[in-house]
Amino acid sequence: MIVVMEKSATEDQIEHMVLRVEDLGLKAHVIRGAERTVIAAIGDKREHMKESLASGSGVSDVVPIMAPYKVASREVKPEPTQVQVGSLAVGGGAIGVIAGPCSVEDEEQIMSTARAVRAAGATALRGGAFKPRTSPYSFQGLKEEGLKLLAAAREETGLAVVTEVMSTEDVEMVSNYADVLQVGARNMQNYRLLEAVGKVPNAVLLKRGASATMDELLLAAEYILNEGNPNVMLCERGIRTFESHTRFTLPLATVPYLHNKTHLPVVIDPSHGTGHTSLVPDMTYAAIAAGADGLILEVHPDPEKAMSDGYQSLNFSQFERVMQRSKKLAVAMDRVIAQASEIAAG
Ligand code: PEP
Ligand code: MN
């Protein structure tokens, strides 16, 4: 149920309705919009609940939430959510660009990449310290050492750090170093992990599982939101289809579809979505044209020598060119690529 408060509702009235919702054994999420405040009452329906809540003072209406996901839905919060963490802003107009290597490999690699992507206009640095690899014999990441290198790169460049967390027991450690916790495609339905990242102050980049439906993605986001973390970005990174010429199939209709269903910002990953460096620039432009709120791109100083995903990584000059063209394209679409205005000089 959504308890829609009147525009003139006071803080006391809102607080009182939160208590009434909780007294019914439901969880109350207060969502303060530009126009009015609503309280999403989540839990099992009770008899006469609607009538009981509708009688509260300051209440304008009580309506059911039709979507299976509740706090994530546009019904509950019509205004788009902007996620703002340090230098990175995603959603609410400007397009945030997250760039960096698939894996953090060594100091020189991550530092030089951070400087290069920052100079080209990225507003966040990506890099995996914990890597989910198909084979147990592949490079698994530098783990805490990698997190330290990412933190050092943020220290120097001011770029917010986005990195994956693979298990619940690592959430606390990763959250101490990173700004944004990435939940990878393979973990999109790891519900205990989703709950754990819902309890930390960091923003979360939730990647779509390679065979997950839109409803499953939104319900996964709901797990995080339901724990009280409102800073969730959804990421389309390609799905598995019969097509084998690209690593995954990148469905860009995801962007307008999700914009219609949810207030959460949508980030596109053209690197994993295509699996080929040569396809990344055009799919980046297509993502901007489709209305993406953010982009996440793999960039490596020497992709041929990368320890993971080199075949889909851009080198520095390729990334710079993609950024230049993206800036022009964004303007043509009445949008802008977010500026790193908040980044400390470095
Ligand atoms: C990554 O971002 O390097 C990654 C492993 O992504 P995904 O979870 O989308 O495969
Ligand atoms: Mn990768």
Side-chain angles (χ1 to χ4, degrees):
M1 291 282 180
I2 310 171
V3 180
V4 183
M5 300 302 292
E6 280 167 359
K7 277 187 194 162
S8 57
T10 63
E11 276 308 311
D12 281 353
Q13 287 172 327
I14 295 168
E15 192 49 42
H16 180 71
M17 287 315 294
V18 167
L19 294 176
R20 281 189 62 177
V21 166
E22 289 171 352
D23 279 349
L24 288 168
L26 305 171
K27 198 160 180 171
H29 288 269
V30 180
I31 294 132
R32 291 168 200 278
E35 281 285 301
R36 55 174 89 224
T37 295
V38 305
I39 303 163
I42 313 291
D44 286 340
K45 260 200 206 145
R46 301 276 174 81
E47 231 184 304
H48 306 306
M49 200 169 84
K50 182 173 168 18
E51 295 74 12
S52 159
L53 292 172
S55 68
S57 80
V59 174
S60 151
D61 204 359
V62 178
V63 287
I65 308 171
M66 302 312 279
Y69 36 88
K70 308 295 175 192
V71 194
S73 80
R74 275 243 160 191
E75 296 166 59
V76 167
K77 182 171 182 275
E79 297 96 2
T81 290
Q82 187 189 43
V83 174
Q84 170 91 55
V85 254
S87 60
L88 178 68
V90 172
I95 302 163
V97 179
I98 305 161
C102 180
S103 306
V104 181
E105 297 170 6
D106 56 53
E107 186 177 350
E108 170 59 21
Q109 175 240 22
I110 197 67
M111 286 298 182
S112 62
T113 309
R115 287 181 203 120
V117 300
R118 188 202 138 139
T123 44
L125 175 69
R126 64 149 289 151
F130 290 88
K131 292 307 302 177
R133 304 305 300 279
T134 303
S135 164
Y137 307 118
S138 301
F139 176 57
Q140 302 288 313
L142 297 181
K143 313 214 164 84
E144 189 165 11
E145 190 48 38
L147 296 174
K148 287 185 179 157
L149 293 175
L150 285 166
R154 174 183 50 218
E155 185 68 30
E156 189 195 302
T157 61
L159 291 172
V161 162
V162 181
T163 197
E164 178 160 357
V165 58
M166 283 174 55
S167 66
T168 44
E169 56 268 32
D170 296 332
V171 168
E172 197 184 332
M173 191 217 306
V174 180
S175 72
N176 285 334
Y177 290 100
D179 300 285
V180 179
L181 302 182
Q182 175 174 320
V183 174
R186 291 156 190 81
N187 268 318
M188 191 207 83
Q189 288 180 311
N190 180 342
Y191 299 116
R192 298 297 84 82
L193 180 61
L194 299 175
E195 285 167 354
V197 299
K199 291 190 174 90
V200 293
N202 313 60
V204 177
L205 181 74
L206 174 64
K207 297 188 104 182
R208 179 186 188 177
S211 57
T213 64
M214 291 283 95
D215 274 7
E216 286 166 343
L217 171 64
L218 287 162
L219 283 164
E222 188 80 9
Y223 268 87
I224 304 170
L225 298 169
N226 194 40
E227 293 298 328
N229 187 343
N231 294 314
V232 178
M233 298 170 263
L234 303 172
C235 179
E236 173 60 82
R237 45 76 77 208
I239 53 174
R240 188 153 272 176
T241 68
F242 55 82
E243 179 54 70
S244 58
H245 288 90
T246 50
R247 185 179 179 193
F248 294 96
T249 295
L250 183 61
L252 290 176
T254 300
V255 181
Y257 178 87
L258 286 174
H259 280 162
N260 199 24
K261 298 289 179 193
T262 180
H263 52 87
L264 298 174
V266 183
V267 174
I268 294 292
D269 178 346
S271 306
H272 293 86
T274 62
H276 296 278
T277 301
S278 63
L279 304 178
V280 170
D282 286 336
M283 292 314 283
T284 301
Y285 311 139
I288 294 169
D293 302 294
L295 294 158
I296 181 163
L297 293 160
E298 287 187 335
V299 178
H300 192 281
D302 187 356
E304 277 187 13
K305 299 214 173 82
M307 294 177 84
S308 60
D309 289 356
Y311 48 81
Q312 64 189 32
S313 300
L314 302 170
N315 63 27
F316 295 167
S317 61
Q318 287 166 331
F319 179 67
E320 198 188 338
R321 174 149 172 78
V322 166
M323 287 300 287
Q324 279 167 2
R325 296 195 77 191
S326 294
K327 284 174 195 163
K328 288 192 218 155
L329 180 65
V331 170
M333 297 299 296
D334 292 327
R335 320 203 27 232
V336 286
I337 302 286
Q339 297 284 312
S341 55
E342 308 227 341
I343 300 186

